[in-house]
Amino acid sequence: TNAELIDGQQRFTTLWLVAFVINNLSKDSSLTSFLKKNENLRLSFEIRKEVEGFLISLLDDEKSQNKKLQDEQYINKQPYLKNIARALVFIDGYIKQLALSPSELKDFGDFIYRQVHLIKNTTPKNTDLNKLFSTINNAGIQLEQTDIVKANLLSLIDEKVQYGKIWDTC
């Protein structure tokens, strides 16, 4: 299923970029499955189509990856791409600096895939998502401890929706 990400876009995008770099260096890691879901890009940008197009082009053609990353004119014309391109270069350099063997790189990617957990908080219907996003970012509101406990408990059972509703009611 698809979900709208209200807060955490930068973290999610960074995780995707790490998966992309690891995929380029070692296609054996389970982290590479994070790049696509059902042959579509794992994340999409409703209001920043140039970012989505850039990420798709990186996956589609390895030759265009290097060309796109090195084409400063292209990147400079797209303000949102500057930081993504810089992040890719940084992540690639950092991982290469670690000088991991192919099996260590696979294990590193697998570790990230297993250990990074996304916590989903569902908002009630008719929630003003723009207002929620603004409130979270302006107030610096963090997840409540109860939200973390709820997510951890629900991860252990099959009837997540039913018990999630009971939790919310209580």
Side-chain angles (χ1 to χ4, degrees), residues 45-62:
F45 297 85
E46 197 169 305
I47 61 171
R48 295 193 181 121
K49 291 299 180 189
E50 71 275 10
V51 173
E52 185 174 346
F54 182 71
L55 298 180
I56 289 170
S57 73
L58 291 176
L59 287 176
D60 284 345
D61 181 9
E62 287 185 29

Side-chain angles (χ1 to χ4, degrees), residues 102-118:
S103 67
E104 289 172 324
L105 184 59
K106 178 197 177 307
D107 291 346
F108 178 58
D110 291 349
F111 176 82
I112 293 171
Y113 187 76
R114 284 190 317 271
Q115 297 301 320
V116 172
H117 298 278
L118 303 175

Side-chain angles (χ1 to χ4, degrees), residues 63-122:
K63 292 176 186 170
S64 72
Q65 294 170 19
N66 295 330
K67 184 178 179 227
K68 292 259 177 154
L69 286 175
Q70 294 170 359
D71 187 350
E72 286 187 46
Q73 283 185 327
Y74 174 78
I75 290 172
N76 287 333
K77 287 179 186 176
Q78 309 291 335
Y80 295 111
L81 299 183
K82 287 180 194 177
N83 290 333
I84 288 176
R86 286 183 192 137
L88 276 171
V89 170
F90 176 83
I91 293 166
D92 184 67
Y94 185 82
I95 290 177
K96 284 178 179 174
Q97 175 190 338
L98 296 174
L100 300 173
S101 71
S103 67
E104 289 172 324
L105 184 59
K106 178 197 177 307
D107 291 346
F108 178 58
D110 291 349
F111 176 82
I112 293 171
Y113 187 76
R114 284 190 317 271
Q115 297 301 320
V116 172
H117 298 278
L118 303 175
I119 297 174
K120 179 181 176 183
N121 284 318
T122 305

